[in-house]
Amino acid sequence: METTAAIVVAAGAGTRMGAGTPKALMPLAGRPLVSWAVEAVARAAAVGAVVVAGPPGRLDELAAALGRAAGEVALVPGGTSRAASVAEALRAVPEGAARVVVHDAARPLAAPGLVAAVLEALEGVEGAIAASPVPDTLKRAGPGMIVDGTVDRSELWRAETPQAFWTEALRAAVAAARAAGRLDAATDCASLVEAAGGRVRLVPSGDPNPKVTTPADVPVVEALIAASRS
């Protein structure tokens, strides 16, 4: 099996959370948020090296948040955007890693089986991402916030992480986006690979895979964690 590395993106300021600290370092169910995400990818059987892109200037705090696990991962300062943080982490991915999994620190419940599923789905394509079908009715807004139409949701999926890629495909996509001046505009790695002409496969996430974005998300995710322990 090809050597596989994982990147955990944990450099966000967490402005919408309003916690006064980088989101990755905030507590969730008695542990720093980032520790849940690192554990999720590290437990996947295929994953070897793990790289965490953390808040610039706060890597000591990040190491403390990870505890004993900090000795098993590479910590690098993130960039000015999510995609720039991924680019910085890619520099620390071992050259022998043919595949790379990118996961957000803000998604603490990703199961090791989901990491394995996106990796298995890489066969014949450049990327594979966890995703869930859009369940809501979608409206297109026109002038004055008057509904301009209802969007067909039957083919729409919500992108999540983990996202898996052939490492060289992701490196090339990052380089192309940087050269074109659009790296910082990318909201996920799949969009970078798509823009470079790569094919990305959707993998239904199945189990709950929520993202901690606002304070309202915290009790919901903590309840899911508690339920998983019972």
Side-chain angles (χ1 to χ4, degrees):
M1 182 177 291
E2 302 89 349
T3 303
T4 302
I7 291 172
V8 176
V9 187
T15 304
R16 286 174 289 180
M17 185 60 65
T21 188
K23 184 166 59 176
L25 301 177
M26 62 171 278
L28 180 81
R31 290 168 45 184
L33 177 60
V34 65
S35 69
W36 293 99
V38 170
E39 180 182 272
V41 296
R43 285 172 55 201
V47 172
V50 178
V51 181
V52 181
R58 305 187 72 161
L59 294 191
D60 288 345
E61 293 174 69
L62 181 61
L66 292 174
R68 292 173 56 187
E72 302 170 3
V73 303
L75 305 181
V76 301
T80 55
S81 67
R82 183 190 187 282
S85 293
V86 171
E88 292 302 316
L90 274 172
R91 300 178 192 274
V93 168
E95 288 298 324
R99 306 180 300 182
V100 61
V101 176
V102 181
H103 188 51
D104 289 337
R107 291 191 186 273
L109 296 183
L114 184 57
V115 177
V118 294
L119 286 167
E120 291 171 5
L122 274 177
E123 186 67 32
V125 294
E126 284 68 46
I129 68 172
S132 57
V134 174
D136 303 311
T137 298
L138 301 176
K139 301 293 184 181
R140 183 183 298 108
M145 294 300 291
I146 303 300
V147 172
D148 191 40
T150 299
V151 179
D152 181 6
R153 69 184 184 193
S154 63
E155 296 182 347
L156 298 180
W157 289 69
R158 184 168 50 206
E160 302 172 0
T161 65
Q163 300 189 350
F165 307 93
W166 296 105
T167 306
E168 288 310 308
L170 182 57
R171 290 189 197 277
V174 166
R178 176 176 282 131
R182 50 179 173 77
L183 181 64
D184 288 343
T187 55
D188 76 342
C189 293
S191 60
L192 294 172
V193 173
E194 294 161 35
R199 295 163 299 168
V200 177
R201 178 171 287 137
L202 298 172
V203 178
S205 53
D207 295 332
N209 186 27
K211 186 176 183 180
V212 178
T213 303
T214 70
D217 298 323
V218 174
V220 174
V221 175
E222 288 184 329
L224 289 170
I225 291 172
S228 70
R229 292 171 169 172
S230 61

